[in-house]
Amino acid sequence: MTFDNVVRVTIYLTDLSTFSEMNAAYSEFFQFPFPARATVGIQLNHPDLLVEMEVTAMR
């Protein structure tokens, strides 16, 4: 499968102030029509973790 098969993305950000940077990177991998997306701010005690993504793809 490829990024074209992705129909849904959930993005977890440890710092919501980085949303615009994440959005720019997201648009490098996904094209119009973009998959459904939710972005969630989370708190973790892991200073090196900035973003985690969960994707659902369909054949």
Side-chain angles (χ1 to χ4, degrees), residues 22-58:
M22 180 281 303
N23 204 42
Y26 180 89
S27 65
E28 291 179 25
F29 292 93
F30 298 103
Q31 306 300 317
F32 184 84
F34 295 103
R37 179 176 80 177
T39 304
V40 181
I42 59 172
Q43 291 183 345
L44 294 177
N45 291 329
H46 195 293
D48 296 330
L49 183 61
L50 302 176
V51 63
E52 182 175 336
M53 298 176 111
E54 175 184 350
V55 301
T56 303
M58 185 173 77

Side-chain angles (χ1 to χ4, degrees), residues 2-17:
T2 69
F3 285 110
D4 292 333
N5 297 98
V6 175
V7 295
R8 180 178 159 272
V9 180
T10 304
I11 302 165
Y12 302 94
L13 293 177
T14 57
D15 182 355
L16 285 174
S17 70

